[in-house]
Amino acid sequence: NMFYRGTPAEMQLALKSSGCGGFPQQEFCPVNGSDPLLYDWVIHDTAKSQLRLWVGGSHCWLFEGMSLYFTRLMKGTAMLTCTDLASTSPQDKGKVYTEPADWPVIIRVWVRENRDPDLTGVLRAATFVDLDGAETLKSWSLVEFFAGDHRLKFIELLEKLKAGVEIEPALKAVFGWSLADLDVHWRRYVRLSY
């Protein structure tokens, strides 16, 4: 809140919406007809808003992962994020994850060296602040794995989450997987796809 640049009314709106959604502010307005930041914001926020219709509730890994999945897919960007990808988190030890073209290589190295973020921590993050840059990248990769290799079952998973089923029972019901099984399948996907 201390560094928020908007008006008090805009700040109240942002607080009421838990920092999600909102509207383009002055810095998003296009200059000379186009602005890459505006396009990124529209894709990011549209994906997040639509996903709220699909799953409701608070699934930060899914909201941020899906938003970044679409901005990377459609524009090759990650200019706007709800988590810190730009090296200011002490947990990331100065790592910068703002270049989407690098993400597959980064994740492949993590998996090869067995140093990717803990899956349980990623899936159970209660707020966007709970996700650091590395966990956000794993969220993006999980969404890419589900959307790319398991599209129809992914939709079933989203429906279970919307019905209020917790992530592990939802995985078990749709895929027959535990969290450990998901981690094994995701790692296999990373090795083959990245």
Side-chain angles (χ1 to χ4, degrees):
N1 290 351
M2 186 172 13
F3 300 103
Y4 190 80
R5 295 184 310 221
T7 67
E10 291 168 341
M11 180 182 226
Q12 287 305 311
L13 177 63
L15 290 171
K16 286 179 183 175
S17 64
S18 301
C20 299
F23 47 88
Q25 295 183 17
Q26 181 178 347
E27 60 267 22
F28 290 99
C29 293
V31 177
N32 297 328
S34 68
D35 185 346
L37 182 60
L38 177 63
Y39 297 139
D40 195 276
W41 180 85
V42 168
I43 296 166
H44 188 97
D45 203 57
T46 299
K48 191 169 288 170
S49 297
Q50 294 300 311
L51 193 60
R52 286 196 182 281
L53 297 175
W54 275 85
V55 299
S58 178
H59 304 280
C60 295
W61 71 274
L62 189 53
F63 291 127
E64 195 65 1
M66 189 72 85
S67 295
L68 293 175
Y69 172 78
F70 280 107
T71 56
R72 184 179 187 272
L73 179 70
M74 296 172 76
K75 298 297 286 179
T77 60
M79 299 170 81
L80 182 79
T81 58
C82 299
T83 59
D84 178 24
L85 299 180
S87 79
T88 55
S89 292
Q91 303 93 318
D92 289 336
K93 299 175 183 68
K95 300 293 183 187
V96 177
Y97 302 115
T98 55
E99 183 49 58
D102 296 341
W103 296 351
V105 173
I106 292 168
I107 291 172
R108 185 177 65 228
V109 169
W110 286 346
V111 167
R112 185 177 60 230
E113 296 176 358
N114 199 29
R115 59 184 181 95
D116 56 293
D118 176 59
L119 179 65
T120 304
V122 171
L123 298 179
R124 299 217 169 118
T127 68
F128 291 112
V129 176
D130 296 331
L131 291 173
D132 65 23
E135 292 166 329
T136 300
L137 259 57
K138 188 164 183 172
S139 297
W140 160 79
S141 183
L142 286 165
V143 167
E144 186 176 69
F145 163 68
F146 281 128
D149 280 13
H150 303 282
R151 188 173 306 261
L152 294 177
K153 285 191 173 187
F154 186 35
I155 292 169
E156 288 181 53
L157 179 67
L158 297 177
E159 290 170 349
K160 293 277 185 202
L161 294 174
K162 184 175 184 174
V165 179
E166 294 294 321
I167 184 65
E168 191 158 17
L171 276 171
K172 191 59 104 175
V174 175
F175 290 93
W177 297 344
S178 66
L179 291 181
D181 295 331
L182 170 58
D183 208 34
V184 167
H185 289 285
W186 172 76
R187 288 172 183 284
R188 185 177 304 126
Y189 170 82
V190 167
R191 287 185 191 104
L192 293 173
S193 301
Y194 298 161

